[in-house]
Amino acid sequence: MRKQSQSAAAWLAALAIALLAPLASAQGLFGGSVPTITLEEIREAEEKGEPLQFVDVRSEEEMAVSMLPGAITRREYERNPKAYEDARIVPYCTVGARSGKYTRELRERGITAVNYRGSIIDWVEHGGPLVTPDGEPTKRVHTYSDRFSVPEPYIAVTE
């Protein structure tokens, strides 16, 4: 029974993300007050030497598969936000919905944060590297649901 309720909850969460993903932009689900950043803007900031700190807001199961290089978990960030005061905070998730909500929370606390538009799906669509939590390179990416696909050579993981 418990496994069925977990499966139903996972299915409902995947459905909610699938339905909300198209709205997860600066003008959609989060209103006009949540700025976003694109991969092109991320690369430009890195070229200029601007410190960015990626914060992964996905579940532990998703992060156990892979993360963006140099990213920290939301829990790590929340333990010591002062350690990242000099960086622009860039939350990300699967497509940008959960990270958009977290970006709003951070901005309401006065923290300079921008939501990574497209998040990890956009990252792999552009061939970005991924690492395991131990820092080892990987091509596996948790896509949260079967609705989201990844290009070769990446491997979609949903469980």
Side-chain angles (χ1 to χ4, degrees), residues 128-145:
L130 296 173
V131 295
T132 66
D134 295 328
E136 296 295 319
T138 185
K139 293 295 182 185
R140 296 173 36 126
V141 59
H142 200 294
T143 59
Y144 197 84
S145 81

Side-chain angles (χ1 to χ4, degrees), residues 76-143:
E76 288 173 305
Y77 176 76
E78 292 294 335
R79 266 192 230 135
N80 190 11
K82 290 189 183 287
Y84 308 99
E85 284 181 334
D86 294 335
R88 185 161 39 153
I89 305 304
V90 183
Y92 75 93
C93 58
T94 303
V95 295
R98 293 173 285 175
S99 56
K101 181 180 177 195
Y102 185 58
T103 299
R104 171 169 286 197
E105 292 172 20
L106 292 174
R107 294 184 68 79
E108 287 173 352
R109 291 174 12 205
I111 297 166
T112 303
V114 290
N115 185 30
Y116 178 10
R117 185 184 318 164
S119 287
I120 203 166
I121 296 294
D122 182 67
W123 184 265
V124 298
E125 284 177 356
H126 289 91
L130 296 173
V131 295
T132 66
D134 295 328
E136 296 295 319
T138 185
K139 293 295 182 185
R140 296 173 36 126
V141 59
H142 200 294
T143 59

Side-chain angles (χ1 to χ4, degrees), residues 23-69:
L23 301 174
S25 68
Q27 298 304 316
L29 180 63
F30 312 113
S33 65
V34 176
T36 61
I37 190 168
T38 64
L39 183 56
E40 182 178 322
E41 293 167 328
I42 289 168
R43 289 180 177 156
E44 288 172 5
E46 289 172 341
E47 286 175 13
K48 294 177 184 175
E50 179 185 346
L52 300 175
Q53 180 59 62
F54 289 106
V55 177
D56 195 323
V57 303
R58 298 174 303 147
S59 70
E60 289 183 25
E61 293 80 17
E62 292 169 284
M63 290 184 288
V65 173
S66 64
M67 297 175 69
L68 302 187

